[in-house]
Amino acid sequence: MSFAKIALRNIPRRKLRNSLTVLGIVIGVALLVGVNIAAESSFVEFKNYIEAVGGKIDIVVTTVSGVPFEQRKVDASVAGLGYAQSAGRLGEGGLIRHGGQAKAVSVTGVDTVKDFEYRGYTFEGSGNLRRNDATISQRMSEDLDIKIGDYITVQMARGSTLSLHVVGIVKAKIATGYDVYMDLGFAQQKLGYVGRVTYAIVHVLDMSKVSEVRRILERNLGESYNVRAIKEQTIATWEGNLAGWRQGLTMISTVAVLVSVGLVLNTMYMNLGERTYEVGVLRAIGARRRDIFWLFFSETIFYALIGIAVGVFAGIGLARVLYSLTSIVSMFGAQSTGTLVIRPEYLISGGITGLLSTIIGGFIPSVSASRIGILNALKPGIRPPGKQRTAVRLLLAGIPLAAAGAYMSQSGLDFGMLDIVFLIIGLVMVMSGLLRVAEPLIESALSPFKAVGKLLSKNLGRNLRRAAITYAIIAVCVSFIVMMGGMRVGMMSSIGDTITEYFGADIIVFSGTSLPTTFSKSIVQIDPARIQAVTPAGTTLTKSGKTEIGIFSIDPDTFPLVFDRFEFSADTPKDVYNQLKNNLYSILLVEPLAQSLKVKVGDQISVRTPTGSVKLTVIGILRGFGLSFAQMGEVPMSQAAFISLRTANTYFVAPGRALRASIFYVKLRQSSDTNTVKNEIHDKYGETYDLQMITIDDLMTEVNDNVGQFFVVFDIIIYMAVISATGGIAATMLMTVNERRREIGMLRSQGMSSAHIFVLVLAEAVFLGLVGYVVGVVAGLFLLRGVTVLMSTTGLIVPFLVPWERLQFALLLAIATAIIGVAYPSLKATRVNLIEVLRYRG
Amino acid sequence: MQSEIVVELINVTKTYRLGEVQVQALRGVNMKASRGQIVAIMGPSGSGKSTILNMVGALDRPTSGKVIVDGRDISRMSEDKLGQIRRDSIGYIFQFYNLIPVLSAYENVELPMLIAGIDREERSKRAHELLGLVGLSDRAHHRPDELSGGEQQRVAVARALSKRPPLVLADEPTGDLDSKSGMQVMTILRDLAKKELSTVVMVTHDHQMASLADRILEIRDGTIVKETEII
């Protein structure tokens, strides 16, 4: 038998209190374990998805200008390596009319002998392609009712017409678009690109050598070519995104960990308070101070062990929920398998964090227990009253601590848990000090409530440490609610501003295939009364030196009619669009690109073209805070440049090919109904050109939903911490009621009703909630400021906006938490047996 | 026959500070107790009887004077050494909440021996022996909340004597019991102490209980005013 045994047996003594404490630990551990498992599972599933979608295609080679190139160049580089194979494809858009329907299709010429990807497809019918043969995608077959043996006619973008015999249907595992495959040689002949392909695909047999092959191809092919390891790049991009996401989730989960520290601290102090006499007896019969320390500390360890064991299992269950909300593949429209990837290190790290947080919470009370004087412990009558911490002491201690926390959180350097701890503890001490000062005021404010008010005002100053820990627990939760609310509001505002600034159009029309730029006039003709202007945008990728540039080819006449809110640098001339229109050698750069190229207005840059390169003069620099994370199509805005359609036609389009656009921006006249025009466009051209349309409202809704979903996971985590905090209040008030049983008995014997007792206890808990709320709001606003500063250092500008709705919600939550937590203790207080407690010798 | 002196207080004073006020709880107390003797200390509330017990029990130190327990002057000993004295030489019985509520009667009796580092076999033998002597062998595995007040105090007596201490201190050991249970407990304490040759110093308000002692010391205002030998 040992002190650990005594500790273990003490755990069931206060079942409800100890259960609530262990619940807090369980929640903290479960969140940490669940977040990590969910994130890892999501990423592994995504990797598998990319492998499935990408098939055997590890690298894709294209020219920078998009012009078809000689396949042998790629084959030569790959042939020398024993572990890679290549194939060329010739792709072009077209239009098919079949069975009364017209659809835009993607036509791809493939070498059925060498194309490893095509050979891996499953076919209904035959996959072999002779001159006029074609295989089509399953979706195309179903939607257009095309069967094996049918003949189809495809109007190609460059004008030629192909008449093809359908010999097979491609059974794809992943949903595809409208695809037509034909013999490569025949396609090259019909489209006038003998010996050329629009892109080459490379499969690397040894996955670990993909990067090496990519580098070899880049070196051999030169800067005119884009060599992309698609799968590797996509996975690397998402791995980076997910790391940031996981870090954010883990940080938010610390709120539950902090709450559990507070719960353990409070519970251990309450246990100590109840068992002070027992400590005296043990010391009197010879127990050493360290024996007492280990008696209490062992209890803490047992809480930890139970909490960790349950928490780990709960975390695995929670991971399923979080996984369903954070699945990457579902963002791509695929069905998530829901298979969890459980790595031991996540379970261990969750367990260690749970153990550490419990140890932190239990250490100081255990030390306090070991330091109790024997006489004071044995003789409650001579026990000195608790240390009276005066207002001055509290303020003197709290202000520097709060200031340090505020300063650290604003510096944006290393925003973390220490800032939060200092800030919360400091503010709690300051608030406690202010409440001490305000005691007479509080008493006077509560005096209308007579006996209940008088008692409440006196009780509020009792047991400061217990009250302060409870404020802190609530404050931590509220501060995170405020911080996350502010971030959401700020992000929505930032994204909203970007959308309205840079997507000045009311409707954005995307075509499944590139269309002539004159299509913009066709759109205006649909409803000129409502449609003010339509401007096309073509996109092409090129390079200046080694810097990739996304070129937007625009119509300088109509572009400013739609995008009328762009801001330019001070040295950009006022007639920039005229210059763009009249000068074939002019280019507009966005600010980040200009900085990256180290050029200013008036400088020249050399830009690659299909036939070589051209020197263009920078006539303007475009500014805006949204440039850092906005995209137009696949091109990040931070690498965008604008040229006129004429310039594009002259330098960036292969001879014989007219510049085409796949995006059309539609600006409506004032008070025109967006949905009416959207429907009109769809009715006229939607099916023919496979148009997708999005209005600004749709965009804002989609962004709102995406941002909302992003924050749902954070909200779940915070609410779980709130559950812990509710448990903390319940445990605190249960202890309070237990301690004051005799007092309650006396009040009842003096005539106070049960209802008054109920209100007294309830009011005390609500007061705790309100104080915690005020501290939490102040801390939350500081933390929000800190987070926005930190984000700005990464280039993401999120304005500091006070989330007023969230503040109201947090207030209701703080009060609700207090009321729910105190419901049972209040009820218990009304059921105190008068005779029993008045006879009780405490 | 000169018996060995187990406890001796020589001109002991004790002053407490309560806020601004200084309270002299003991004013030059002299007392002795021999091995195997039962000494009762009586006096009104606040007279200093519990303070004497605290001095003798190594729970507190005198302001001046000497306290000698089992041949050792404990007046100026460090807290660690006092703890040693409590472990090795003193058994305690309190008025209430004597027992550790989560331990059984057997485990409560065993506890001081465990603290003192006595081996398991010896502990077990001694604990069973003592529980038999106090008439609670069949209740060895019951917890305090399953025992009556009198039974709990009997367990406390057994525990106090478990290490065979030369000195047993009892602070109102029957204060919370009815007279029949109280007499039962006192009788057991007396008989066991005589058997084990332990000196018992007890504080009591109860004359009937005090009559079981060998000597009664009356204390008033921090001084022993009367000493009575019981024949």
Side-chain angles (χ1 to χ4, degrees):
Chain A
M1 195 265 297
S2 63
F3 285 101
K5 200 172 176 179
I6 299 175
L8 186 61
R9 290 193 193 175
N10 271 313
I11 291 183
R13 274 177 81 183
R14 288 275 180 249
K15 286 192 185 60
L16 188 55
R17 182 200 305 164
N18 293 339
S19 300
L20 291 170
T21 304
V22 169
L23 177 66
I25 302 167
V26 166
I27 289 174
V29 171
L31 280 170
L32 286 172
V33 168
V35 156
N36 278 309
I37 291 177
E40 180 70 12
S41 305
S42 183
F43 182 64
V44 167
E45 184 186 51
F46 174 69
K47 269 171 62 171
N48 294 338
Y49 171 77
I50 291 297
E51 289 294 332
V53 167
K56 287 188 171 181
I57 303 175
D58 297 310
I59 296 173
V60 175
V61 180
T62 57
T63 53
V64 168
S65 56
V67 169
F69 58 94
E70 290 182 354
Q71 183 188 331
R72 62 180 174 80
K73 291 184 179 179
V74 175
D75 291 345
S77 292
V78 169
L81 309 166
Y83 45 82
Q85 45 187 171
S86 61
R89 292 182 168 192
L90 184 68
E92 182 140 325
L95 192 70
I96 183 172
R97 293 179 204 280
H98 190 86
Q101 292 190 70
K103 285 286 182 195
V105 298
S106 173
V107 179
T108 307
V110 296
D111 182 335
T112 53
V113 173
K114 288 176 73 178
D115 196 310
F116 45 82
E117 180 69 7
Y118 183 80
R119 288 206 319 273
Y121 291 165
T122 306
F123 296 94
E124 182 190 331
S126 171
N128 289 325
L129 298 169
R130 291 176 300 182
R131 278 178 65 83
N132 277 74
D133 290 342
T135 54
I136 61 173
S137 63
Q138 188 168 354
R139 185 185 169 196
M140 189 171 156
S141 166
E142 286 166 359
D143 288 1
L144 297 177
D145 195 27
I146 299 172
K147 299 181 192 47
I148 294 170
D150 287 351
Y151 282 86
I152 57 173
T153 302
V154 183
Q155 183 77 35
M156 300 305 291
R158 290 185 61 212
S160 53
T161 303
L162 300 174
S163 185
L164 301 168
H165 177 225
V166 177
V167 298
I169 297 168
V170 181
K171 300 282 191 190
K173 289 180 196 168
I174 313 283
T176 57
Y178 298 130
D179 299 307
V180 178
Y181 296 95
M182 58 186 291
D183 175 67
L184 176 62
F186 186 59
Q188 287 169 328
Q189 182 197 332
K190 291 297 268 185
L191 298 175
Y193 289 123
V194 176
R196 289 174 178 266
V197 294
T198 46
Y199 64 99
I201 55 174
V202 179
H203 172 56
V204 182
L205 298 163
D206 181 351
M207 286 298 295
S208 65
K209 293 194 190 309
V210 170
S211 295
E212 186 188 318
V213 172
R214 180 176 57 77
R215 278 193 295 275
I216 291 170
L217 284 168
E218 279 177 342
R219 192 180 61 226
N220 291 350
L221 296 173
E223 286 175 1
S224 305
Y225 290 82
N226 283 325
V227 180
R228 295 185 196 282
I230 301 288
K231 283 193 273 188
E232 195 185 67
Q233 268 175 251
T234 307
I235 290 170
T237 302
W238 278 95
E239 195 168 26
N241 292 343
L242 201 64
W245 172 239
R246 189 187 295 197
Q247 206 175 5
L249 286 177
T250 304
M251 198 197 123
I252 299 300
S253 301
T254 59
V255 66
V257 173
L258 287 173
V259 168
S260 71
V261 171
L263 277 176
V264 171
L265 192 63
N266 227 9
T267 298
M268 290 309 295
Y269 270 123
M270 287 193 275
N271 289 349
L272 174 57
E274 278 182 342
R275 285 152 50 195
T276 301
Y277 188 88
E278 192 177 310
V279 169
V281 168
L282 285 167
R283 290 292 311 283
I285 64 173
R288 300 166 190 85
R289 287 189 197 278
R290 64 173 181 268
D291 296 327
I292 304 299
F293 170 84
W294 281 109
L295 174 64
F296 281 84
F297 199 63
S298 302
E299 229 169 284
T300 309
I301 302 296
F302 284 127
Y303 289 147
L305 292 175
I306 298 167
I308 289 165
V310 177
V312 163
F313 282 105
I316 294 171
L318 181 65
R320 288 211 176 277
V321 174
L322 294 176
Y323 185 16
S324 66
L325 295 168
T326 58
S327 167
I328 304 173
V329 299
S330 60
M331 294 182 205
F332 288 81
Q335 188 78 14
S336 172
T337 61
T339 307
L340 291 180
V341 174
I342 302 173
R343 295 203 197 286
E345 55 262 36
Y346 298 142
L347 307 184
I348 292 168
S349 67
I352 289 175
T353 307
L355 181 65
L356 282 175
S357 65
T358 315
I359 285 173
I360 291 168
F363 182 76
I364 295 173
S366 303
V367 169
S368 298
S370 70
R371 292 161 64 98
I372 292 175
I374 305 174
L375 280 182
N376 290 339
L378 289 171
K379 304 283 182 182
I382 66 162
R383 215 175 277 170
K387 238 191 275 185
Q388 283 299 307
R389 290 168 180 86
T390 61
V392 170
R393 274 189 187 173
L394 288 165
L395 290 169
L396 281 177
I399 290 172
L401 211 52
Y407 173 74
M408 281 158 62
S409 68
Q410 305 308 296
S411 65
L413 291 169
D414 193 14
F415 184 79
M417 216 188 324
L418 209 56
D419 313 2
I420 300 166
V421 169
F422 274 32
L423 197 49
I424 298 279
I425 293 176
L427 286 171
V428 164
M429 291 175 88
V430 168
M431 182 57 106
S432 303
L434 292 174
L435 285 172
R436 277 256 193 271
V437 167
E439 268 169 13
L441 278 173
I442 294 172
E443 195 175 329
S444 137
L446 290 173
S447 61
F449 300 98
K450 301 196 175 67
V452 171
K454 180 86 170 177
L455 287 165
L456 180 63
S457 65
K458 296 296 180 193
N459 283 342
L460 293 179
R462 283 167 90 163
N463 212 316
L464 181 64
R465 180 175 55 207
R466 188 187 306 164
I469 294 172
T470 311
Y471 302 151
I473 290 171
I474 298 168
V476 161
C477 295
V478 169
S479 69
F480 272 78
I481 291 173
V482 169
M483 180 179 74
M484 295 312 296
M487 276 182 64
R488 182 175 178 163
V489 165
M491 279 179 73
M492 279 305 305
S493 168
S494 178
I495 294 171
D497 284 347
T498 301
I499 289 171
T500 50
E501 287 228 13
Y502 292 97
F503 296 87
D506 297 296
I507 303 172
I508 305 167
V509 180
F510 298 92
S511 167
T513 187
S514 56
L515 297 170
T517 56
T518 49
F519 184 64
S520 55
K521 291 185 181 149
S522 305
I523 296 176
V524 176
Q525 288 309 309
I526 295 172
D527 191 347
R530 289 197 175 93
I531 300 174
Q532 181 178 323
V534 177
T535 193
T539 56
T540 188
L541 280 179
T542 185
K543 283 182 180 175
S544 175
K546 290 190 176 168
T547 305
E548 275 199 341
I549 300 177
I551 298 266
F552 286 91
S553 315
I554 62 172
D555 175 3
D557 287 327
T558 57
F559 189 82
L561 299 177
V562 176
F563 292 92
D564 54 2
R565 293 186 214 179
F566 277 10
E567 282 180 14
F568 295 95
S569 64
D571 50 357
T572 300
K574 284 186 173 35
D575 64 343
V576 61
Y577 287 113
N578 267 339
Q579 288 198 39
L580 203 63
K581 177 181 173 180
N582 296 320
N583 184 348
L584 278 182
Y585 297 97
S586 51
I587 187 167
L588 274 175
L589 303 181
V590 297
E591 194 168 37
L593 181 60
Q595 283 167 356
S596 155
L597 294 173
K598 295 185 177 52
V599 294
K600 54 186 188 308
V601 172
D603 290 347
Q604 282 195 325
I605 59 170
S606 177
V607 174
R608 286 211 162 269
T609 67
T611 50
S613 65
V614 63
K615 274 195 175 352
L616 300 174
T617 304
V618 178
I619 62 158
I621 292 175
L622 188 60
R623 288 198 159 148
F625 65 82
L627 290 170
S628 56
F629 61 89
Q631 297 226 162
M632 278 168 104
E634 292 176 3
V635 181
M637 281 296 290
S638 55
Q639 287 172 252
F642 297 83
I643 58 174
S644 70
L645 283 166
R646 249 184 7 122
T647 303
N649 265 322
T650 307
Y651 298 110
F652 290 93
V653 174
R657 289 170 74 111
L659 185 70
R660 301 169 81 80
S662 53
I663 311 172
F664 294 84
Y665 297 90
V666 180
K667 190 170 183 77
L668 302 183
R669 297 188 194 279
Q670 241 180 0
S671 65
S672 295
D673 181 55
T674 314
N675 283 325
T676 303
V677 176
K678 183 180 163 187
N679 290 336
E680 283 172 345
I681 298 172
H682 183 266
D683 290 343
K684 183 85 179 173
Y685 294 118
E687 290 287 321
T688 307
Y689 297 114
D690 193 19
L691 299 180
Q692 304 292 326
M693 283 177 281
I694 188 164
T695 64
I696 292 302
D697 289 341
D698 293 340
L699 210 56
M700 288 298 292
T701 304
E702 196 175 314
V703 164
N704 201 19
D705 289 347
N706 287 339
V707 170
Q709 190 171 0
F710 180 75
F711 280 90
V712 156
V713 180
F714 291 131
D715 284 346
I716 288 176
I717 294 170
I718 294 174
Y719 294 147
M720 290 183 74
V722 168
I723 293 171
S724 279
T726 309
I729 294 179
T732 301
M733 295 314 295
L734 271 172
M735 175 74 179
T736 300
V737 164
N738 263 339
E739 276 178 351
R740 299 188 205 160
R741 283 162 60 85
R742 194 172 164 78
E743 193 178 309
I744 291 169
M746 281 199 304
L747 288 170
R748 291 288 311 281
S749 73
Q750 299 302 306
M752 196 172 249
S753 70
S754 297
H756 282 138
I757 301 292
F758 182 88
V759 167
L760 186 61
V761 177
L762 186 73
E764 205 171 316
V766 170
F767 183 81
L768 287 176
L770 288 173
V771 172
Y773 169 77
V774 170
V775 173
V777 166
V778 174
L781 291 174
F782 272 111
L783 294 176
L784 174 61
R785 185 88 183 92
V787 163
T788 55
V789 164
L790 179 67
M791 286 172 89
S792 69
T793 61
T794 65
L796 193 64
I797 310 293
V798 174
F800 174 80
L801 294 172
V802 176
W804 296 110
E805 270 186 31
R806 212 69 174 148
L807 290 186
Q808 291 169 31
F809 170 75
L811 175 61
L812 292 174
L813 194 65
I815 294 174
T817 303
I819 290 174
I820 294 167
V822 83
Y824 174 68
S826 306
L827 218 53
K828 202 176 168 193
T830 63
R831 291 176 185 165
V832 158
N833 185 316
L834 291 189
I835 297 166
E836 191 186 302
V837 298
L838 289 175
R839 196 178 58 203
Y840 168 80
R841 270 181 291 237
Chain B
M1 178 178 68
Q2 185 129 20
S3 293
E4 183 192 342
I5 302 294
V6 174
V7 176
E8 189 172 1
L9 271 64
I10 302 170
N11 211 23
V12 165
T13 67
K14 179 67 184 178
T15 306
Y16 290 107
R17 182 182 283 280
L18 292 173
E20 299 288 316
V21 177
Q22 283 204 343
V23 175
Q24 202 159 15
L26 295 178
R27 301 165 193 264
V29 167
N30 292 283
M31 71 164 263
K32 290 181 190 176
S34 309
R35 187 170 291 284
Q37 213 174 35
I38 298 179
V39 178
I41 304 176
M42 297 188 74
S45 291
S47 56
K49 49 187 192 301
S50 293
T51 309
I52 291 180
L53 221 60
N54 293 342
M55 296 295 135
V56 172
L59 298 178
D60 200 359
R61 293 189 201 83
T63 307
S64 68
K66 280 190 185 176
V67 178
I68 300 168
V69 172
D70 201 22
R72 287 178 282 186
D73 181 355
I74 67 170
S75 322
R76 304 283 172 256
M77 270 187 180
S78 65
E79 176 56 39
D80 281 347
K81 288 208 159 63
L82 288 177
Q84 192 76 43
I85 298 284
R86 290 196 296 272
R87 271 194 293 284
D88 297 342
S89 308
I90 303 175
Y92 285 92
I93 305 168
F94 303 99
Q95 184 178 358
F96 31 61
Y97 307 116
N98 263 293
L99 307 180
I100 306 300
V102 295
L103 300 178
S104 65
Y106 170 85
E107 287 166 337
N108 267 287
V109 173
E110 193 195 20
L111 184 60
M113 291 185 278
L114 185 67
I115 293 170
I118 295 170
D119 68 69
R120 181 195 279 254
E121 205 182 310
E122 170 77 33
R123 289 200 314 260
S124 176
K125 187 177 158 195
R126 181 73 176 152
H128 280 118
E129 180 195 349
L130 284 167
L131 282 168
L133 287 170
V134 301
L136 289 172
S137 293
D138 56 339
R139 308 282 285 197
H141 298 294
H142 284 79
R143 292 203 179 175
D145 57 3
E146 295 168 322
L147 303 172
S148 68
E151 287 170 338
Q152 287 183 41
Q153 286 301 65
R154 280 193 267 161
V155 174
V157 168
R159 184 186 69 190
L161 289 162
S162 61
K163 291 174 301 189
R164 300 179 208 275
L167 178 62
V168 173
L169 303 176
D171 189 352
E172 302 271 12
T174 59
D176 207 35
L177 302 174
D178 59 85
S179 54
K180 184 180 169 194
S181 303
M183 190 53 81
Q184 197 178 29
V185 169
M186 272 312 304
T187 308
I188 288 171
L189 176 59
R190 185 194 60 185
D191 293 345
L192 269 179
K194 294 290 185 195
K195 180 174 184 289
E196 301 282 334
L197 290 177
S198 293
T199 303
V200 177
V201 177
M202 72 173 180
V203 162
T204 183
H205 278 117
D206 194 327
H207 287 276
Q208 196 182 7
M209 302 302 152
S211 68
L212 294 175
D214 298 317
R215 281 162 63 214
I216 299 175
L217 304 177
E218 281 183 41
I219 180 167
R220 232 177 270 281
D221 296 327
T223 320
I224 293 178
V225 297
K226 190 177 173 186
E227 200 171 315
T228 310
E229 294 272 344
I230 309 292
I231 300 164

